[in-house]
Amino acid sequence: MTTPVRKKGRLSEAVQSIQPSGIRRFFDMASTMDNVISLGVGEPDFVTPWKVREASIDSMERGYTAYTANPGIIELREEISSYLSRQFSTPYDPENEIIVTVGASEAIDIAIRSTVNPGEEVVIIEPGFVSYAPIVSLAGGKPVSIGTKKENEFKITKEELEAAITSNTKAIMLCFPNNPTGAVMTKEDLDPLVEVIEKNDLLVLSDEIYAELSYDQKHYSFARLPGMKERTILISGFSKAFAMTGWRLGFVCAPADITAAMLKIHQYAMMCASTPAQYGALEALRSGQDDVERMVTSYKQRRNYMVKSFAEIGLSCHVPGGAFYAFPSIEDTGMDSNAFAEELLHEERVAVVPGNVFGEGGEGHIRCSYATSMESLETAIERIGRFIKNHSS
Ligand code: PLP
């Protein structure tokens, strides 16, 4: 018997309109080679603190293996609420303004899908995290990018935002501290954006997953700005600060009407986040702040080492104020970021991510994650230094 030929295409037009992530290609290449030092991965090199793992194991021993309430266990939502008040002065109501999600990744998805109508534009700051634009496209929206500049330390200005806005603009997606540039925006940097946001009646989707990893001053949450909480969807999670990437746990906070809308999607698509992970996260918020500080101190040392070392080997690199990425310029080598990353991998066995995968403004740079051991960083710098020497004309 022959299988009937399908007349209709098997795949949706929406999924065909997006590309697979460019980061993956380098991981796949590097995984087939020996002796590679990877500065490619965007995740902590620490294991989740033991007491967090223990709390999760304990919850399973006690038999907490069923679904939880759709938005997450109330104890965790209450802890998220006090954590946000304590750390970032942004209180949210645990009853109707917080949803525990499957990573910040799900939070980004439901925030976009519950607010963006087909044809509406979402302003995205680039270089930026790779998932924003594809998710806006999947929702039928139109991503509009603003390329930030090295001269501005990869911050966005009021004028740049204004220039990107049309009568169709619905929202702006912010991410500070930024992946991949490490840029941070202080209260003074964010203040001027408020007028533009109010004038154009925009929503703000603020991905603050790297908030704890701010090295030179305390993170300032966008929702803290006068009048902005009502317009802001705050996205965050446990992956980076608490070294919990594999647990897949995040959260999203927003005014009650938007939270109720996001909950509908979460309810149908996920039901709830993983129960054992929620119990682990509860412990992380109750007693994990010392661990966060220990990890942040270590990232800061490595950040300082990377910036100093890039200068020594002749790569100009702005000082990343947060996250765990350095984003040096490779323009002086005359290579584009793809060629640089590919040749560096083959010649010196160092995996970095070419800046062009992060969108407009990323070309001419490479992303180097310094969430890896000092010893590996030292060897990587030695190898990159030799590579630059061999390729300088
Ligand atoms: N947002 C940014 C800026 C990220 O860099 C990442 C992961 O790299 C995420 C969100 C996704 O995090 P999660 O592991 O919580 O899904």
Side-chain angles (χ1 to χ4, degrees):
M1 233 179 80
T2 51
T3 324
V5 179
R6 268 190 78 87
K7 292 262 166 39
K8 291 179 192 155
R10 293 155 77 91
L11 306 176
S12 72
E13 284 165 22
V15 83
Q16 289 182 85
S17 75
I18 61 172
Q19 297 299 317
S21 157
I23 301 185
R24 214 59 255 172
R25 197 166 80 81
F26 275 82
F27 288 153
D28 294 345
M29 246 194 282
S31 68
T32 63
M33 301 163 99
D34 294 329
N35 188 26
V36 172
I37 295 183
S38 178
L39 307 185
V41 220
E43 65 179 330
D45 59 331
F46 295 101
V47 174
T48 308
W50 169 243
K51 57 194 171 208
V52 176
R53 287 180 275 155
E54 195 176 34
S56 177
I57 294 167
D58 182 55
S59 75
M60 284 189 271
E61 281 181 350
R62 283 183 286 141
Y64 296 168
T65 56
Y67 295 130
T68 68
N70 293 137
I73 54 174
I74 185 65
E75 300 92 310
L76 179 56
R77 283 179 281 140
E78 281 165 358
E79 282 300 336
I80 291 171
S81 171
S82 23
Y83 165 77
L84 290 174
S85 305
R86 188 170 70 233
Q87 286 295 100
F88 306 113
S89 310
T90 44
Y92 281 92
D93 183 348
E95 291 288 345
N96 57 17
E97 293 184 330
I98 299 176
I99 304 173
V100 179
T101 55
V102 180
S105 300
E106 190 218 341
I108 295 166
D109 183 35
I110 62 176
I112 291 173
R113 280 203 284 158
S114 58
T115 54
V116 178
N117 290 306
E120 285 179 335
E121 295 171 6
V122 178
V123 175
I124 290 173
I125 315 298
E126 292 184 343
F129 183 48
V130 292
S131 85
Y132 307 142
I135 292 186
V136 169
S137 299
L138 286 175
K142 188 174 162 224
V144 174
S145 56
I146 302 183
T148 55
K149 298 181 193 68
K150 187 178 156 220
E151 307 80 81
N152 275 344
E153 298 172 321
F154 297 104
K155 297 172 188 198
I156 180 219
T157 65
K158 175 184 167 189
E159 291 72 26
E160 286 166 337
L161 175 58
E162 238 160 5
I165 290 173
T166 71
S167 55
N168 250 341
T169 311
K170 179 66 165 282
I172 167 174
M173 182 91 220
L174 293 178
C175 173
F176 296 101
N178 182 273
N179 171 11
T181 63
V184 295
M185 283 185 69
T186 60
K187 176 180 186 304
E188 291 65 38
D189 297 324
L190 293 169
D191 261 335
L193 306 184
V194 169
E195 191 194 325
V196 186
I197 286 162
E198 275 177 341
K199 195 168 96 198
N200 294 283
D201 194 17
L202 303 183
L203 287 173
V204 178
L205 279 56
S206 187
D207 180 349
E208 301 183 21
I209 191 149
Y210 293 102
E212 290 278 8
L213 279 57
S214 297
Y215 305 119
D216 304 317
Q217 69 258 309
K218 187 117 187 111
H219 172 73
Y220 193 89
S221 189
F222 193 83
R224 254 181 101 178
L225 290 165
M228 288 298 104
K229 193 171 170 220
E230 267 316 293
R231 302 181 168 272
T232 302
I233 304 181
L234 167 65
I235 292 159
S236 192
F238 296 88
S239 286
K240 316 290 174 173
F242 295 93
M244 291 176 68
T245 48
W247 296 63
R248 310 308 307 122
L249 212 67
F251 52 90
V252 61
C253 308
D257 57 333
I258 299 181
T259 305
M262 292 192 290
L263 189 58
K264 284 197 269 179
I265 307 180
H266 175 75
Q267 197 168 68
Y268 290 125
M270 297 295 165
M271 190 84 87
C272 65
S274 149
T275 304
Q278 292 189 52
Y279 282 97
L282 187 59
E283 185 59 32
L285 294 182
R286 284 184 176 160
S287 71
Q289 203 57 38
D290 289 353
D291 292 297
V292 174
E293 270 143 41
R294 170 178 55 83
M295 294 188 267
V296 169
T297 304
S298 163
Y299 293 137
K300 182 173 178 177
Q301 277 163 2
R302 293 182 257 173
R303 189 264 323 239
N304 293 347
Y305 169 76
M306 290 301 270
V307 172
K308 174 178 99 18
S309 305
F310 278 133
E312 283 165 9
I313 64 173
L315 288 187
S316 101
C317 182
H318 79 111
V319 180
F324 37 52
Y325 310 104
F327 201 60
S329 164
I330 48 125
E331 269 168 354
D332 290 349
T333 67
M335 277 183 258
D336 68 28
S337 62
N338 239 331
F340 185 99
E342 220 163 289
E343 289 180 36
L344 178 67
L345 180 61
H346 286 109
E347 289 175 27
E348 292 290 347
R349 311 256 148 166
V350 179
V352 298
V353 183
N356 69 339
V357 309
F358 301 102
E360 205 178 320
E363 187 47 85
H365 295 265
I366 51 169
R367 187 190 79 174
C368 302
S369 162
Y370 50 83
T372 189
S373 72
M374 253 331 261
E375 200 189 341
S376 298
L377 292 179
E378 281 164 7
T379 314
I381 288 289
E382 193 187 308
R383 293 182 186 184
I384 300 172
R386 188 165 53 217
F387 180 80
I388 306 264
K389 243 191 215 148
N390 291 344
H391 286 265
S392 57
S393 37

